[in-house]
Amino acid sequence: MSDNNERRVVSVIVVNEASVLSRITDLFSGRGYNITSLTVAPIPESKYSRLTIVTSGSVRVIEQITKQLHKLIPVLRVYEHEDLVEKEMAMVKFPASENIADISTLCAAYNGKIVNVGENVIIVMVADEPKRIENFLKIIKRYSPKEIVRSGAVALER
Amino acid sequence: MQINGAQMVIEALTLEGVDTVFGYPGGAIMNVYDEIYKQKDFKHILTRHEQAAIHAAEGYSRASGKVGVAMITSGPGFTNAVTGLADAYMDSIPLVVISGQVPMSLIGTDAFQEIDAVGISRSCTKHNYLVTNAADLPRVLKEAFHIASTGRPGPVHVDIPKDVTAEIAEFDYSVELELETYKPHVKGNPRQIKKAMEAISKAKRPLFYLGGGIINANAAYEVRDLVRRTGIPAVETFMARGVLSYDDELLIGMLGMHGSYASNMAMSETDLVIGLGVRFDDRVTGKLSEFAKNAGVIHVDIDPASISKLVNATYPIVGDVKNVVNEMLELTGQVKPENYKSWRETVVNFANLHPLTYHEDSERIKPQWVVERVGKLLGDDANISTDVGQHQMWTGQFYPFTRPRQFMSSGGLGTMGYGFPAAMGVKAASPEKTSINFTGDGSILMNCQELMTAVEKKLPVINIILNNNFLGMVRQWQTLFYDKRHSETDLSVQPDFVKLAEAFGGIGYRVNTKEEFDAALKDAVKKDVVAFIEVIVHRMENVMPMVPAGGSLFNMMLLEKKGDK
């Protein structure tokens, strides 16, 4: 079996109750699994929340992660995605002195726009596949970004 | 009915059929202890340390098959209990442990005896709860017992703030449990079972690999049937001792780091491993890449996460081992025991080549002799607990176990100090049997305060201290792998164990000869009071054979032939 670390997206449906997030993160830290990103929000009109975890590991590790997650009592379902639509959002703050037209065009190419213009700074958002978000963040370096925030990925099976 | 939280705890325990609770009171749990004072439904055994309360509940559970119950207070009461929780978690022992917590209004303020108990127990329990409303208590307690005892069993911790134990709410224990997210898979996939049985019938050198899960599932007698009907030899893990009787022809012995040569060779030569209720622990497998290298693997376990965790299963079967073995028994027709005749002979040859044994010494008692001797004198009439170390392995190797639930030991966590309190719990669960704890001069000092509990509650455990004036197992590793640098393992400075037992009102014996041992054991069994039998044994005896950590099972250090040195 190959021990190559593979990037994987795992979605977890859990009962929305106290300390459930700690149960998940404790499991990852206790067993030495990686978390690249983790997002969590309640599922509308239900008692459940949905987590999207981006992780990496060998095939065996990923299998263990899904099994160990499933063993947690408040976990209803675990999806280890194969064929999915994945999106992430990022917000970036630039000095207002940068070329706003350039930045705006770039944002549009990455499914984003300027969301706030202030006296000293402008704030933009983009929402795209995580890989493309990375690209975007690389490209905008030349406009001296002051602050960057990424949301972590969310995903749905096709 | 409208009652307070503390009364709910009592009601719930009574309705769950609990007859014995082990515990230690303190500030945050006082409301519950006030109700314990008023009730007559169950007996409370006051240990002298919270860790001992949990181990006693473990011993009670392991011997009886019921859920063990322990009760402790907040802060240090809880942290003292953590080792016990971790121990039960590793060995899949069903417990419900109830702890007091500071009142809700003080949580998070660094109050006196406050600690984030559920934060700590999260990683060493099957599940845990912080109860914030008395109205939740009936459901939580019912869930706790259900979760502890079903699926892969384990400890469940319920933390109850003091004001919640005083709060009055409706108590209705007939509430239906709605555990949408917890549904253990107990029935094995029939097609997989069929395929597995076909593989067995085609195998040339199949081998049963029996684990502690069989005891948890109460499946030992079904497994005995399956082994007998198929004529396939079997090895047991340390935790499975007693699944087969020691005199079963098809039982090769214990496998693993201190398993017998024959067991480990059989595992290395087999072409089909039939794992039942096992988890391929590193102390069992040795070097994974060499473990049963040329074999297919049937793996039956209730815990899907145990399957293909370390060794890939060719035939994974998730289910309760009792259910699955019963299904397998239906399909044994195609399996021809005579096909394995030459394989059985091979195994016997392994056993004859390097039998599990030891060399007697004319000067000093050998520790293995003590274990064998107790086996001869008490055998089936005793339940056997152990602490952790050399004595533990010698017990696993040499005691003639005849039935499941006869043997309790800290297998997964390896907790020194487990044995004595566990043996008290065993005695409470089955008073008709003699409760023996094999221990060492290192282990016994971790929880020797339990002499007081044993005297007060009339739990006449017989502790057999195999005294080699060493922290023996560590000393053995230092001798073998650290060039005899015996760093901090010389325990020559010791208490007078006889006087120690007597100081608490127990009875003590110091034994130098075999005759003295027989006399002491017979006397202790008669006296019906907690006893220390200190046996002065050979100082430098090693547990053999041995697979060095990380080595391959077939590459064992063997007992030196007599005269070798």
Side-chain angles (χ1 to χ4, degrees):
Chain A
M1 179 177 300
S2 95
D3 266 3
N4 291 337
N5 273 13
E6 231 183 292
R7 179 182 184 278
R8 296 299 264 182
V9 182
V10 179
S11 291
V12 192
I13 313 292
V14 296
V15 178
N16 184 7
E17 63 181 20
S19 81
V20 67
L21 187 57
S22 315
R23 291 187 202 280
I24 308 265
T25 53
D26 279 9
L27 173 76
F28 274 76
S29 62
R31 293 188 181 265
Y33 306 144
N34 300 316
I35 299 181
T36 309
S37 77
L38 184 155
T39 67
V40 55
I43 298 173
E45 284 155 50
S46 86
K47 56 176 185 175
Y48 297 104
S49 286
R50 182 177 181 120
L51 286 89
T52 311
I53 303 171
V54 180
T55 181
S56 61
S58 63
V59 176
R60 174 166 287 169
V61 166
I62 300 292
E63 187 183 325
Q64 267 297 302
I65 289 175
T66 57
K67 284 176 168 177
Q68 294 290 351
L69 281 169
H70 207 95
K71 241 171 100 171
L72 295 174
I73 309 292
V75 168
L76 179 70
R77 217 165 285 140
V78 183
Y79 303 100
E80 190 209 327
H81 293 296
E82 294 288 342
D83 185 19
L84 46 74
V85 179
E86 203 185 337
K87 292 288 175 200
E88 181 173 1
M89 185 193 149
M91 287 164 74
V92 185
K93 196 188 272 177
F94 297 99
S97 54
E98 291 294 325
N99 186 331
I100 296 182
D102 278 10
I103 293 173
S104 174
T105 312
L106 260 176
C107 287
Y110 286 90
N111 196 21
K113 59 184 180 190
I114 295 172
V115 288
N116 187 276
V117 182
E119 216 171 294
N120 301 314
V121 294
I122 60 168
I123 297 174
V124 306
M125 63 140 298
V126 287
D128 215 325
E129 278 136 43
K131 258 228 170 84
R132 287 182 43 85
I133 295 288
E134 255 157 55
N135 253 337
F136 172 77
L137 295 176
K138 230 182 267 168
I139 295 165
I140 50 105
K141 267 191 190 147
R142 71 181 82 144
Y143 303 103
S144 340
K146 290 162 78 85
E147 230 179 309
I148 296 171
V149 53
R150 295 177 68 162
S151 67
V154 291
L156 276 179
E157 188 86 23
R158 250 185 253 273
Chain B
M1 92 187 127
Q2 295 278 323
I3 53 176
N4 71 28
Q7 291 163 328
M8 289 184 186
V9 172
I10 307 302
E11 287 294 324
L13 295 186
T14 308
L15 288 167
E16 291 290 346
V18 173
D19 56 23
T20 309
V21 172
F22 302 87
Y24 205 105
I29 192 82
M30 280 180 72
N31 290 334
V32 179
Y33 269 89
D34 193 45
E35 295 302 326
I36 288 180
Y37 185 88
K38 296 175 194 163
Q39 61 82 42
K40 290 213 155 26
D41 293 319
F42 57 82
K43 151 168 103 208
H44 179 274
I45 293 179
L46 172 71
T47 57
R48 293 320 194 257
H49 192 290
E50 287 89 351
Q51 183 194 351
I54 313 293
H55 292 326
E58 285 185 87
Y60 176 88
S61 169
R62 178 101 172 150
S64 66
K66 295 198 265 185
V67 175
V69 180
M71 209 171 285
I72 51 187
T73 194
S74 66
F78 167 75
T79 54
N80 278 346
V82 169
T83 303
L85 287 172
D87 191 272
Y89 186 52
M90 287 289 271
D91 283 342
S92 307
I93 307 290
L95 299 183
V96 170
V97 174
I98 297 167
S99 62
Q101 181 55 279
V102 301
M104 290 288 292
S105 57
L106 288 180
I107 287 182
T109 66
D110 303 315
F112 177 65
Q113 294 194 329
E114 183 192 358
I115 195 76
D116 174 14
V118 285
I120 292 174
S121 69
R122 197 173 294 133
S123 55
C124 57
T125 52
K126 184 173 176 186
H127 197 48
N128 64 11
Y129 298 88
L130 171 64
V131 185
T132 53
N133 288 299
D136 290 340
L137 255 177
R139 175 186 59 82
V140 166
L141 290 167
K142 199 167 182 177
E143 282 183 13
F145 276 90
H146 176 69
I147 291 172
S149 58
T150 53
R152 178 175 177 176
V156 177
H157 168 216
V158 182
D159 197 34
I160 315 177
K162 190 169 186 178
D163 51 344
V164 174
T165 59
E167 188 190 340
I168 289 174
E170 174 65 19
F171 180 85
D172 179 4
Y173 210 67
S174 62
V175 282
E176 287 273 322
L177 289 184
E178 293 174 61
L179 284 164
E180 227 180 312
T181 60
Y182 175 71
K183 289 179 180 131
H185 202 86
V186 293
K187 197 178 170 327
N189 179 324
R191 272 180 42 213
Q192 280 293 89
I193 294 172
K194 207 164 155 251
K195 275 203 242 166
M197 289 308 286
E198 277 164 21
I200 291 174
S201 68
K202 286 187 192 129
K204 295 201 165 55
R205 300 181 306 280
L207 181 69
F208 279 110
Y209 161 32
L210 309 176
I214 296 167
I215 293 174
N216 280 334
N218 293 315
Y221 292 98
E222 288 78 2
V223 168
R224 286 182 181 195
D225 235 18
L226 184 64
V227 171
R228 200 173 308 129
R229 275 204 229 168
T230 55
I232 295 171
V235 294
E236 283 179 350
T237 67
F238 178 74
M239 291 304 286
R241 293 313 251 162
V243 168
L244 300 185
S245 182
Y246 76 101
D247 53 2
D248 193 312
E249 279 186 350
L250 289 163
L251 175 62
I252 308 172
M254 180 171 86
L255 87 163
M257 181 173 272
H258 292 296
S260 66
Y261 173 81
S263 303
N264 287 345
M265 286 310 291
M267 186 51 93
S268 303
E269 295 288 315
T270 179
D271 64 351
L272 182 67
V273 177
I274 311 163
L276 305 178
V278 291
R279 60 185 181 88
F280 296 85
D281 178 75
D282 58 283
R283 286 298 193 260
V284 162
T285 60
K287 191 176 183 181
L288 271 175
S289 57
E290 302 285 340
F291 176 80
K293 208 174 175 180
N294 303 311
V297 175
I298 297 170
H299 190 179
V300 181
D301 204 275
I302 189 105
D303 177 8
S306 277
I307 292 178
S308 296
K309 178 172 70 173
L310 295 156
V311 169
N312 262 345
T314 338
Y315 305 93
I317 300 172
V318 178
D320 179 80
V321 75
K322 187 169 190 154
N323 268 317
V324 175
V325 169
N326 274 326
E327 298 273 319
M328 288 170 117
L329 281 167
E330 300 282 314
L331 300 170
T332 47
Q334 58 187 315
V335 182
K336 303 274 173 285
E338 60 272 21
N339 290 354
Y340 314 126
K341 188 161 174 286
S342 74
W343 169 231
R344 285 191 296 266
E345 285 164 5
T346 308
V347 170
V348 170
N349 288 340
F350 287 142
N352 289 338
L353 190 60
H354 296 288
L356 182 69
T357 185
Y358 60 96
H359 301 312
E360 287 280 10
D361 182 280
S362 51
E363 311 248 302
R364 279 267 168 261
I365 294 182
K366 282 295 182 80
Q368 299 93 328
W369 176 86
V370 180
V371 175
E372 275 186 343
R373 190 66 189 157
V374 176
K376 198 154 280 169
L377 293 176
L378 299 178
D380 186 61
D381 291 334
N383 285 321
I384 305 295
S385 308
T386 79
D387 265 302
V388 170
Q390 288 184 310
H391 66 270
Q392 179 189 30
M393 290 301 118
W394 285 319
T395 307
Q397 289 177 329
F398 290 100
Y399 197 88
F401 295 103
T402 42
R403 58 192 155 82
R405 302 195 180 280
Q406 187 181 12
F407 181 46
M408 0 280 142
S409 189
S410 171
L413 196 66
T415 310
M416 289 172 68
Y418 165 92
F420 185 11
M424 297 194 311
V426 172
K427 189 69 188 174
S430 77
E432 74 290 353
K433 299 271 182 196
T434 301
S435 181
I436 300 280
N437 173 37
F438 283 107
T439 179
D441 48 310
S443 284
I444 190 63
L445 289 184
M446 299 194 188
N447 280 335
C448 62
Q449 78 285 344
E450 294 310 312
L451 278 163
M452 206 66 267
T453 311
V455 168
E456 187 195 357
K457 297 295 178 183
K458 301 198 167 49
L459 297 167
V461 171
I462 301 175
N463 294 280
I464 299 175
I465 307 171
L466 301 178
N467 190 353
N468 54 12
N469 285 265
F470 267 125
L471 192 57
M473 187 58 96
V474 182
R475 195 278 308 150
Q476 173 170 340
W477 282 49
Q478 289 170 336
T479 302
L480 297 172
F481 311 121
Y482 289 84
D483 209 13
K484 299 187 182 158
R485 290 185 299 276
H486 295 154
S487 176
E488 303 296 321
T489 46
D490 189 320
L491 303 181
S492 290
V493 178
Q494 290 190 331
D496 182 326
F497 286 112
V498 174
K499 282 189 189 155
L500 182 62
E502 287 170 357
F504 285 87
I507 186 163
Y509 310 83
R510 182 169 298 114
V511 166
N512 277 292
T513 66
K514 292 180 175 178
E515 295 69 34
E516 285 171 2
F517 180 77
D518 281 11
L521 183 64
K522 280 175 190 154
D523 194 56
V525 171
K526 245 190 313 193
K527 282 274 171 26
D528 226 28
V529 59
V530 63
F532 275 7
I533 302 179
E534 177 196 8
V535 189
I536 312 298
V537 297
H538 198 284
R539 272 204 98 187
M540 300 304 282
E541 187 69 6
N542 289 335
V543 181
M544 284 293 154
M546 177 177 192
V547 179
S552 311
L553 283 189
F554 51 81
N555 230 341
M556 302 193 78
M557 301 167 82
L558 296 163
L559 183 70
E560 287 169 351
K561 294 251 160 62
K562 225 171 180 172
D564 290 4
K565 254 281 138 70

Tab-separated table of all heavy atoms in Angstrom, chain A residues 8-9 20 26 30 33 37 42 46-47 69 71 85-86 94 99 102 111 125 128 131-132 136 138 143 150 158:
chain	number	residue	atom	x	y	z
A	8	ARG	N	-7.506	15.133	1.117
A	8	ARG	CA	-8.872	14.607	1.077
A	8	ARG	C	-9.817	15.568	1.777
A	8	ARG	O	-9.426	16.263	2.711
A	8	ARG	CB	-8.965	13.259	1.811
A	8	ARG	CG	-8.157	12.173	1.183
A	8	ARG	CD	-8.592	11.864	-0.215
A	8	ARG	NE	-9.511	10.749	-0.269
A	8	ARG	CZ	-10.008	10.271	-1.404
A	8	ARG	NH1	-9.703	10.850	-2.557
A	8	ARG	NH2	-10.806	9.247	-1.397
A	9	VAL	N	-11.060	15.560	1.302
A	9	VAL	CA	-12.092	16.364	1.951
A	9	VAL	C	-13.090	15.412	2.599
A	9	VAL	O	-13.590	14.493	1.955
A	9	VAL	CB	-12.805	17.280	0.934
A	9	VAL	CG1	-13.840	18.146	1.652
A	9	VAL	CG2	-11.787	18.131	0.204
A	20	VAL	N	-19.083	19.301	20.903
A	20	VAL	CA	-18.969	18.324	19.823
A	20	VAL	C	-17.746	18.625	18.939
A	20	VAL	O	-17.061	17.717	18.473
A	20	VAL	CB	-20.274	18.230	18.997
A	20	VAL	CG1	-20.539	19.513	18.228
A	20	VAL	CG2	-20.230	17.045	18.052
A	26	ASP	N	-10.117	16.866	19.082
A	26	ASP	CA	-9.331	16.005	19.982
A	26	ASP	C	-8.975	14.697	19.292
A	26	ASP	O	-7.887	14.153	19.474
A	26	ASP	CB	-10.110	15.680	21.257
A	26	ASP	CG	-10.042	16.812	22.263
A	26	ASP	OD1	-9.540	17.886	21.882
A	26	ASP	OD2	-10.499	16.630	23.404
A	30	GLY	N	-5.251	13.746	18.961
A	30	GLY	CA	-4.891	12.566	19.740
A	30	GLY	C	-4.322	11.451	18.889
A	30	GLY	O	-3.475	10.680	19.341
A	33	TYR	N	-3.600	12.968	13.315
A	33	TYR	CA	-4.051	13.259	11.952
A	33	TYR	C	-3.908	14.754	11.687
A	33	TYR	O	-3.928	15.569	12.601
A	33	TYR	CB	-5.530	12.865	11.771
A	33	TYR	CG	-5.874	11.457	12.146
A	33	TYR	CD1	-7.102	11.155	12.735
A	33	TYR	CD2	-4.984	10.399	11.902
A	33	TYR	CE1	-7.442	9.856	13.081
A	33	TYR	CE2	-5.321	9.109	12.248
A	33	TYR	CZ	-6.553	8.837	12.841
A	33	TYR	OH	-6.890	7.559	13.178
A	37	SER	N	-7.870	22.442	6.893
A	37	SER	CA	-8.860	23.460	7.245
A	37	SER	C	-10.103	22.771	7.769
A	37	SER	O	-10.325	21.570	7.537
A	37	SER	CB	-9.213	24.325	6.034
A	37	SER	OG	-10.095	23.626	5.175
A	42	PRO	N	-24.286	25.256	11.535
A	42	PRO	CA	-25.502	24.448	11.704
A	42	PRO	C	-26.192	24.217	10.367
A	42	PRO	O	-26.145	25.066	9.479
A	42	PRO	CB	-26.383	25.312	12.609
A	42	PRO	CG	-25.521	26.395	13.138
A	42	PRO	CD	-24.376	26.555	12.200
A	46	SER	N	-32.552	21.880	11.502
A	46	SER	CA	-32.282	20.537	11.989
A	46	SER	C	-31.477	20.666	13.266
A	46	SER	O	-31.030	21.758	13.616
A	46	SER	CB	-31.506	19.707	10.956
A	46	SER	OG	-30.120	19.951	11.101
A	47	LYS	N	-31.286	19.535	13.955
A	47	LYS	CA	-30.471	19.594	15.175
A	47	LYS	C	-29.007	19.270	14.858
A	47	LYS	O	-28.211	19.043	15.750
A	47	LYS	CB	-31.020	18.633	16.219
A	47	LYS	CG	-31.129	17.200	15.740
A	47	LYS	CD	-31.603	16.287	16.872
A	47	LYS	CE	-31.567	14.848	16.390
A	47	LYS	NZ	-31.892	13.870	17.399
A	69	LEU	N	-13.990	8.850	13.190
A	69	LEU	CA	-15.008	9.904	13.289
A	69	LEU	C	-16.370	9.274	13.502
A	69	LEU	O	-17.147	9.703	14.349
A	69	LEU	CB	-15.022	10.747	12.005
A	69	LEU	CG	-13.935	11.812	11.868
A	69	LEU	CD1	-13.920	12.365	10.451
A	69	LEU	CD2	-14.154	12.945	12.873
A	71	LYS	N	-17.097	6.617	14.879
A	71	LYS	CA	-17.231	6.014	16.209
A	71	LYS	C	-17.684	7.010	17.266
A	71	LYS	O	-18.231	6.613	18.289
A	71	LYS	CB	-15.852	5.457	16.621
A	71	LYS	CG	-15.852	3.964	16.855
A	71	LYS	CD	-14.444	3.463	17.027
A	71	LYS	CE	-14.105	3.256	18.473
A	71	LYS	NZ	-12.809	2.556	18.606
A	85	VAL	N	-17.897	19.214	-5.513
A	85	VAL	CA	-17.742	20.628	-5.831
A	85	VAL	C	-17.241	21.286	-4.560
A	85	VAL	O	-17.823	21.118	-3.495
A	85	VAL	CB	-19.089	21.260	-6.242
A	85	VAL	CG1	-18.902	22.746	-6.549
A	85	VAL	CG2	-19.670	20.519	-7.429
A	86	GLU	N	-16.133	21.994	-4.707
A	86	GLU	CA	-15.482	22.520	-3.522
A	86	GLU	C	-15.287	24.019	-3.703
A	86	GLU	O	-14.843	24.461	-4.751
A	86	GLU	CB	-14.120	21.819	-3.402
A	86	GLU	CG	-13.541	21.792	-2.038
A	86	GLU	CD	-12.138	21.182	-2.064
A	86	GLU	OE1	-11.824	20.429	-3.001
A	86	GLU	OE2	-11.373	21.495	-1.162
A	94	PHE	N	-6.375	45.737	0.952
A	94	PHE	CA	-5.282	46.412	0.253
A	94	PHE	C	-5.216	47.869	0.686
A	94	PHE	O	-6.251	48.455	1.041
A	94	PHE	CB	-5.515	46.384	-1.264
A	94	PHE	CG	-5.529	45.014	-1.873
A	94	PHE	CD1	-6.731	44.373	-2.149
A	94	PHE	CD2	-4.334	44.371	-2.181
A	94	PHE	CE1	-6.742	43.119	-2.721
A	94	PHE	CE2	-4.354	43.114	-2.764
A	94	PHE	CZ	-5.557	42.473	-3.028
A	99	ASN	N	-3.641	50.076	-7.305
A	99	ASN	CA	-4.461	50.239	-8.512
A	99	ASN	C	-5.782	49.479	-8.378
A	99	ASN	O	-5.852	48.267	-8.556
A	99	ASN	CB	-3.666	49.729	-9.712
A	99	ASN	CG	-4.396	50.013	-11.008
A	99	ASN	OD1	-5.630	50.082	-11.038
A	99	ASN	ND2	-3.632	50.187	-12.073
A	102	ASP	N	-7.134	47.426	-11.484
A	102	ASP	CA	-6.454	46.136	-11.664
A	102	ASP	C	-6.990	45.100	-10.693
A	102	ASP	O	-7.321	43.969	-11.063
A	102	ASP	CB	-4.944	46.294	-11.401
A	102	ASP	CG	-4.219	46.832	-12.638
A	102	ASP	OD1	-4.930	47.247	-13.576
A	102	ASP	OD2	-2.979	46.820	-12.628
A	111	ASN	N	-14.120	35.107	-9.438
A	111	ASN	CA	-15.464	35.050	-8.892
A	111	ASN	C	-15.605	35.926	-7.642
A	111	ASN	O	-16.137	35.487	-6.618
A	111	ASN	CB	-15.820	33.594	-8.579
A	111	ASN	CG	-17.304	33.421	-8.382
A	111	ASN	OD1	-18.092	34.255	-8.842
A	111	ASN	ND2	-17.669	32.359	-7.686
A	125	MET	N	-13.376	40.399	-1.854
A	125	MET	CA	-13.640	38.982	-1.584
A	125	MET	C	-13.603	38.196	-2.878
A	125	MET	O	-13.936	38.705	-3.942
A	125	MET	CB	-14.987	38.784	-0.902
A	125	MET	CG	-16.165	39.219	-1.728
A	125	MET	SD	-17.594	38.128	-1.637
A	125	MET	CE	-17.018	36.625	-2.287
A	128	ASP	N	-13.911	30.660	-4.724
A	128	ASP	CA	-13.539	29.796	-5.846
A	128	ASP	C	-12.996	28.487	-5.300
A	128	ASP	O	-12.982	28.281	-4.083
A	128	ASP	CB	-12.479	30.509	-6.701
A	128	ASP	CG	-12.648	30.182	-8.173
A	128	ASP	OD1	-13.030	29.030	-8.464
A	128	ASP	OD2	-12.370	31.062	-8.998
A	131	LYS	N	-7.702	25.623	-4.830
A	131	LYS	CA	-6.486	25.747	-5.637
A	131	LYS	C	-6.399	27.111	-6.297
A	131	LYS	O	-5.347	27.739	-6.352
A	131	LYS	CB	-6.497	24.658	-6.726
A	131	LYS	CG	-5.595	23.505	-6.389
A	131	LYS	CD	-4.701	23.129	-7.578
A	131	LYS	CE	-3.659	22.139	-7.111
A	131	LYS	NZ	-4.189	20.749	-7.116
A	132	ARG	N	-7.570	27.555	-6.816
A	132	ARG	CA	-7.602	28.852	-7.499
A	132	ARG	C	-7.459	29.999	-6.496
A	132	ARG	O	-6.886	31.032	-6.807
A	132	ARG	CB	-8.886	28.991	-8.326
A	132	ARG	CG	-8.847	28.107	-9.579
A	132	ARG	CD	-10.072	28.241	-10.469
A	132	ARG	NE	-10.538	29.609	-10.687
A	132	ARG	CZ	-10.055	30.437	-11.625
A	132	ARG	NH1	-9.092	30.040	-12.438
A	132	ARG	NH2	-10.559	31.643	-11.739
A	136	PHE	N	-4.854	33.026	-6.738
A	136	PHE	CA	-5.249	34.424	-6.576
A	136	PHE	C	-4.351	35.105	-5.544
A	136	PHE	O	-3.835	36.202	-5.771
A	136	PHE	CB	-6.718	34.493	-6.147
A	136	PHE	CG	-7.179	35.869	-5.773
A	136	PHE	CD1	-7.477	36.817	-6.751
A	136	PHE	CD2	-7.312	36.246	-4.431
A	136	PHE	CE1	-7.894	38.092	-6.399
A	136	PHE	CE2	-7.727	37.508	-4.078
A	136	PHE	CZ	-8.019	38.447	-5.066
A	138	LYS	N	-1.449	34.345	-4.687
A	138	LYS	CA	-0.085	34.499	-5.189
A	138	LYS	C	0.000	35.758	-6.062
A	138	LYS	O	0.899	36.576	-5.933
A	138	LYS	CB	0.290	33.249	-6.011
A	138	LYS	CG	1.636	32.646	-5.606
A	138	LYS	CD	1.974	31.460	-6.488
A	138	LYS	CE	1.500	30.160	-5.854
A	138	LYS	NZ	1.568	29.020	-6.810
A	143	TYR	N	0.265	43.737	-5.133
A	143	TYR	CA	-0.506	44.912	-4.725
A	143	TYR	C	-0.420	45.168	-3.224
A	143	TYR	O	-1.289	45.765	-2.619
A	143	TYR	CB	-1.970	44.775	-5.173
A	143	TYR	CG	-2.088	44.576	-6.672
A	143	TYR	CD1	-2.343	43.312	-7.203
A	143	TYR	CD2	-1.894	45.644	-7.547
A	143	TYR	CE1	-2.423	43.113	-8.569
A	143	TYR	CE2	-1.970	45.455	-8.922
A	143	TYR	CZ	-2.232	44.188	-9.433
A	143	TYR	OH	-2.301	43.997	-10.780
A	150	ARG	N	-8.758	33.436	4.977
A	150	ARG	CA	-9.385	32.376	4.174
A	150	ARG	C	-10.435	31.669	5.025
A	150	ARG	O	-10.251	31.496	6.231
A	150	ARG	CB	-8.333	31.343	3.746
A	150	ARG	CG	-7.287	31.914	2.807
A	150	ARG	CD	-6.241	30.891	2.471
A	150	ARG	NE	-6.790	29.791	1.656
A	150	ARG	CZ	-6.026	28.953	0.950
A	150	ARG	NH1	-4.708	29.087	0.981
A	150	ARG	NH2	-6.575	28.000	0.241
A	158	ARG	N	-21.084	15.758	-5.838
A	158	ARG	CA	-21.827	16.009	-7.081
A	158	ARG	C	-23.039	15.119	-7.183
A	158	ARG	O	-22.975	13.954	-6.786
A	158	ARG	CB	-20.917	15.718	-8.271
A	158	ARG	CG	-20.509	16.975	-9.004
A	158	ARG	CD	-19.713	16.614	-10.242
A	158	ARG	NE	-18.305	16.932	-10.051
A	158	ARG	CZ	-17.771	18.128	-10.316
A	158	ARG	NH1	-18.526	19.120	-10.790
A	158	ARG	NH2	-16.505	18.359	-10.115
